[in-house]
Amino acid sequence: MTANALSKTLLVIGGSSDIGRAIASRYAVAGWQVVLAVRDVAAGTRNASDIAARSGRAVPVHRLDILETDQFAAMLDGLPVLPDTVVCVVGDMGDQARSEADPLAAQRVLRANFEGPALFLGMIAERFAARGTGAIVGISSVAGDRGRASNYIYGAAKAGFTAFLSGLRNRLAGRGIRVVTVKPGFVRTRMTEGMALPGPLTADPSEVGRAVFRAAEQGRGEVIYVRGVWRPLMMVIRAVPERIFKRMQL
Amino acid sequence: MTEFHGWGRYPRHDSALISPLAPGEVASLYDDADGRPRAGLIARGAGRAYGDAAIGDSATVVMRGLDRIRSFDRQTGRVTVEAGLLLADLIGVAMPAGWFPPVVPGTRFVTIGGMIAADVHGKNHHRAGGFGDHVETLTLALPDGQMVTCGPDHHPDLFRATIGGMGLTGMIVEASFTLVPIQTGWISQRTVVAPDLDRALAALRDAAEATYSVAWIDCLARGAALGRSLVYLGEHATPADLTARAGADRWPPAVGGRFTVPLDAPSMMLNRLSVGAFNALYYKRGARAAGQAMLVPWDRYFFPLDGIGDWNRLYGARGFVQYQCVLPMTAAAGTLADILERVSRAGHASFLAVLKQLGPAHGDLSFPMEGVTLALDLPVSARVLALLNDLDRLVVAAGGRLYLAKDARQSPATFEAGYPGRDRLRRLRHQIGAPGRLSSKLSTRLGI
Ligand SMILES: Cc1cc2nc3c(=O)[nH]c(=O)nc-3n(C[C@H](O)[C@H](O)[C@H](O)COP(=O)(O)OP(=O)(O)OC[C@H]3O[C@@H](n4cnc5c(N)ncnc54)[C@H](O)[C@@H]3O)c2cc1C
């Protein structure tokens, strides 16, 4: 734990999720001040008190709903300090069949995975750019690498988010601001509860936490798959010609 | 439906899997999504019970999602934790701050809920009692959907039934207890060589003042060497003890998972020959090191088997059973000799055989009683199961009992004879509406 790290602050958007918790814990262990922003304050407090008990350092909780875009500025202004790193873990897989039938359901998925995170991180980027330092981490998804019949509404939103992060990285390159895109693949979490997951492709939340820290704070990678096997796998999936892909019904 | 089994991988049963993710969800699990009451639920922690205790009769509620530390007071050592927290996790947080759990079992991959539900004993039961003796309050989701907090002075009947109650009174959601202060993560260990059973029991008895004591017993030794043992005594080391060992890290990190058993071993791997050779070597090596105190890192002292991931696969695909009985002091020597004699004569190789001294316990269904406990691992086979039925008769005749957290096969009669607190537990279960709603394969098999 260095004196330098002690003065650093991490803000996690979506801090009540398993992945958010794991990332926050990894930073807390390294001596960072951790702040959680959550929609459900009770659930967020449960994670916050856990991280505080483990690290011996209080973890403040702020309320933030990623769909309430008009609240973003007030929330950011209410923080005691502009954080050094911001990680956005927010996501809503929705239900593909429902999204197909109900435009409002589809809209919620699109907004929660793309609009909200992009607008929030965009505002953060402006403040980081003004200060000249900062790291931005977006948790996107392999689902955004290619649209699939089974989840293309969610996938399309994640694809948009991936493109946003890539553009932001491009724009801020050389200005002291790091932008990291993380594609976790399968993770054992609330969202995947009860599904049979392929072992070698499935990461624990703590692996995501370590991967984010390595990429954002130790400069090891800017677009990362938490489990390396995903990279060649997704390369192949992206390369399959549309004519064949559409018959695969993935 | 999911196939469940315990650490012994025998028996296997299908049960529906339910995974609550927050304490607030637990009480509502007694009804399904349509509000209809569910039957045959049981809580499950890390599944380290050997047999069928943590398999729900129809549905199994996996508590691992409830793994938050709610508070940890570094001045007093008091913690409040959710029941699905792994002991390994708690130690990882507590130890660098100078605290250690008051009681730990032989593996750290158990949950706090599982430790309370089995009222687990450590190598210090003779002095510290079971884990349940240290629980100050616990929060329980009762079958009627109520959450209650109980403790020794608060709903004491419910508390006594829940300590060691094998999940049959409700689902433990949270618990508070106080850790003990330690100065280093090392144990100062002394080995006493006991060439036969009588001297092993005497050494354990003489060690009443030692903080920790446990005997490894060579269960294949016969004749005059029957029951020959290495008795390990342990104390938490002080920084002064460490100076002898230059460069020792005051809080050595866990060395977990050095080696993982990748596949089910062919069942002949652990046979009389290989275990016999291992035991002979182990005894000799231990005897050579006897006398002088040595420093052992905490994880190797308390959890020697945790270093080998999935070691339960060593027993082959059919699985194994652990036979753990406790015998009252007066009958211990004679009955133990009889048991060891029969196991040795049958030529069954038990890779792990342990003797411990136990004190009295306070839960209605707690396993410990004043006396001596023996634990043996044996691969499942028709012959082994028949042998164990014979051993049951010896245990019952001696006034002893079998540990429910290890059990996969005892008969209702053996259970009835061994657990005088069973009727009190049954009455309490009726009071809280548990029969039918909370039941495991174990409780149904034994008629609890
Ligand atoms: C290698 C090894 C060494 C061991 N050494 C010892 C030892 O030295 N001393 C000892 O006493 N035991 C020992 N055990 C047994 C172990 O400590 C117990 O079986 C313990 O209960 C396992 O905890 P678990 O979290 O895995 O629970 P599980 O195996 O999942 O469940 C065990 C019981 O606890 C109940 N339960 C679990 N969680 C809850 C909850 N939240 N609420 C209500 N009920 C619950 C279950 O219904 C079940 O009846 C050992 C086991 C192994 C594998």
Side-chain angles (χ1 to χ4, degrees), chain B residues 108-418:
Chain B
R108 64 189 197 280
F109 300 119
V110 294
T111 64
I112 302 303
M115 288 171 68
I116 296 170
D119 191 15
V120 300
H121 55 272
K123 298 173 169 70
N124 55 352
H125 195 272
H126 58 292
R127 294 195 46 179
F131 188 74
D133 285 313
H134 299 269
V135 175
E136 290 154 24
T137 65
L138 56 82
T139 307
L140 196 63
L142 292 178
D144 64 2
Q146 267 196 76
M147 291 272 227
V148 281
T149 298
C150 60
D153 314 313
H154 203 62
H155 298 300
D157 293 351
L158 183 59
F159 184 71
R160 191 175 51 217
T162 302
I163 298 300
M166 304 308 289
L168 295 167
T169 58
M171 297 178 215
I172 303 164
V173 171
E174 252 180 43
S176 301
F177 49 96
T178 299
L179 306 167
V180 295
I182 53 171
Q183 292 181 296
T184 76
W186 295 79
I187 297 292
S188 171
Q189 175 184 296
R190 223 157 42 80
T191 307
V192 178
V193 183
D196 58 37
L197 183 61
D198 281 344
R199 275 176 282 184
L201 292 175
L204 279 176
R205 218 175 310 123
D206 292 347
E209 292 304 306
T211 302
Y212 300 105
S213 66
V214 62
W216 167 83
I217 180 166
D218 178 358
C219 64
L220 284 175
R222 301 173 73 165
L226 184 79
R228 72 173 177 182
S229 304
L230 300 171
V231 183
Y232 297 115
L233 310 179
E235 301 296 332
H236 287 286
T238 62
D241 296 326
L242 287 199
T243 51
R245 189 172 170 134
D249 189 347
R250 185 166 168 195
W251 306 114
V255 201
R258 277 160 293 198
F259 169 70
T260 295
V261 179
L263 287 172
D264 298 335
S267 48
M268 78 238 212
M269 216 174 109
L270 288 177
N271 56 25
R272 186 176 171 100
L273 215 66
S274 60
V275 175
F278 172 85
N279 282 5
L281 265 175
Y282 189 79
Y283 183 78
K284 247 196 231 131
R285 209 196 54 173
R288 238 184 292 126
Q292 79 259 32
M294 59 189 274
L295 285 175
V296 185
W298 61 278
D299 59 329
R300 270 205 287 146
Y301 183 80
F302 291 109
F303 315 115
L305 288 164
D306 285 351
I308 311 168
D310 299 335
W311 62 262
N312 52 346
R313 306 184 76 163
L314 279 175
Y315 287 85
R318 274 207 281 179
F320 67 110
V321 286
Q322 180 160 105
Y323 191 75
Q324 182 166 6
C325 61
V326 58
L327 302 163
M329 207 55 99
T330 45
T335 306
L336 277 177
D338 211 348
I339 291 177
L340 289 171
E341 185 62 50
R342 286 174 195 241
V343 171
S344 178
R345 203 170 342 121
H348 293 301
S350 178
F351 192 58
L352 181 121
V354 177
L355 270 186
K356 264 183 256 182
Q357 178 131 18
L358 299 180
H362 299 109
D364 289 339
L365 233 49
S366 283
F367 166 67
M369 63 163 78
E370 198 133 26
V372 179
T373 173
L374 169 75
L376 303 169
D377 282 344
L378 297 161
V380 173
S381 72
R383 276 180 58 216
V384 163
L385 294 174
L387 170 73
L388 297 183
N389 287 337
D390 291 341
L391 302 188
D392 286 0
R393 281 189 279 280
L394 301 179
V395 171
V396 168
R401 57 181 171 235
L402 302 182
Y403 193 3
L404 297 172
K406 309 286 179 77
D407 183 45
R409 32 86 27 213
Q410 73 176 297
S411 69
T414 305
F415 167 73
E416 293 290 325

